[in-house]
Amino acid sequence: MSTTSLDGLEATSLSSSHVLDNPAWAALTGPHAHFAERVGRAARYPQDVAGFSALADTDDPRAWDDLATLVGPGGTAAVRGVTRAPDGWEIVRSGAGVQLVDTGLRAEPAPEAVRLGPDDVPEILDLVARTEPGPYLPRTVEMGTYLGIREHGRLIALAGERLHPPGWTEISAVCTHPDYRGRGLATRLVRAVAAGIRARGEQPFLHARADNTHAIRLYESIGFTLRCRTAFAQVRRIRAAGPEETA
């Protein structure tokens, strides 16, 4: 494992064929296969679980054909590693992110944390709407363990597990109500979620928006290392030109 610098940030360079290079595909064809809606070389989570689609290889036209079958005419998909749309597709919106891996996090339980479940989803969605840590849907809570901290019965902080490629689990939805920030609640929850991941013999990782430098610095300060930059695109299937249109 070697270390390189990406725009001043230290990044751990792993093998180009590492499972984290395509984590949604690895999850949907591995530990999260029970969620997968799949056609050949394309797969996605149900629309109320997570907004991720994945291709076995974004350079493979056959995978895009399978994705077209999966989403249908006019359908959309959020796919990692796409910067240009192939024929028959258009990019609706795109974004840049970073992927960080645990290289020295102090993982430990948080005695005040409580396990969250389906009954807590309305409160989770309200907190997510206030803090915007990233997409969260009604059944996202089923993807893994979600922990929260309550004060006087009110949910004030949250973190949990999302993508689950073999040997790894993504920590996601890390957020704290604006009225309760500055108390280290999110850090305690990240460490607690990581403790559960490590107890299974797996390693934590996470994603952040590339422009969220505050979050990136925080994660680095508690033991995560920037592994790579990532690109995400929401693509839409458009009608391919038929013979009569190109004649």
Side-chain angles (χ1 to χ4, degrees):
M1 185 180 297
S2 61
T3 301
T4 58
S5 177
L6 295 178
D7 293 346
L9 298 174
E10 291 302 310
T12 302
S13 175
L14 304 181
S15 166
S16 61
S17 60
H18 194 274
V19 68
L20 293 187
D21 291 342
N22 197 352
W25 177 257
L28 286 164
T29 56
H32 276 176
H34 60 287
F35 285 120
E37 298 174 354
R38 183 175 175 184
V39 175
R41 300 169 180 84
R44 67 180 178 184
Y45 285 92
Q47 298 292 314
D48 57 352
V49 174
F52 300 118
S53 299
L55 303 176
D57 181 355
T58 57
D59 293 326
D60 184 353
R62 298 170 300 174
W64 286 98
D65 290 343
D66 289 340
L67 184 62
T69 301
L70 184 61
V71 304
T76 62
V79 184
R80 172 192 169 100
V82 174
T83 57
R84 293 181 57 190
D87 290 343
W89 296 84
E90 64 177 354
I91 292 179
V92 178
R93 61 176 176 266
S94 60
V98 294
Q99 184 186 84
L100 300 101
V101 295
D102 164 27
T103 55
L105 177 69
R106 188 176 82 244
E108 58 190 7
E112 71 273 40
V114 296
R115 176 78 179 261
L116 302 175
D119 291 344
D120 301 296
V121 167
E123 284 186 282
I124 294 172
L125 293 175
D126 179 69
L127 181 58
V128 167
R130 292 173 182 270
T131 57
E132 299 183 342
Y136 198 98
L137 299 168
R139 292 179 56 208
T140 300
V141 72
E142 298 176 21
M143 297 180 76
T145 299
Y146 278 84
L147 301 178
I149 293 177
R150 295 184 178 277
E151 188 163 289
H152 305 301
R154 182 186 193 184
L155 183 65
I156 62 172
L158 166 71
E161 301 173 356
R162 193 168 61 175
L163 296 179
H164 190 186
W168 298 79
T169 300
E170 179 193 24
I171 298 177
S172 183
V174 181
C175 58
T176 302
H177 190 287
D179 294 344
Y180 298 89
R181 289 174 180 164
R183 293 165 47 177
L185 302 179
T187 297
R188 294 209 293 276
L189 286 174
V190 168
R191 287 174 171 154
V193 173
I197 295 169
R198 293 244 195 98
R200 299 196 298 264
E202 298 173 348
Q203 188 169 351
F205 74 106
L206 50 80
H207 291 100
R209 293 196 319 269
D211 61 359
N212 193 350
T213 55
H214 175 76
I216 294 168
R217 297 302 183 191
L218 172 63
Y219 292 137
E220 290 181 320
S221 74
I222 64 174
F224 285 90
T225 297
L226 181 66
R227 176 179 180 264
C228 65
R229 295 194 178 278
T230 61
F232 292 91
Q234 184 177 20
V235 295
R236 178 187 291 125
R237 178 63 174 168
I238 56 178
R239 186 176 66 171
E244 71 283 357
E245 297 174 277
T246 58

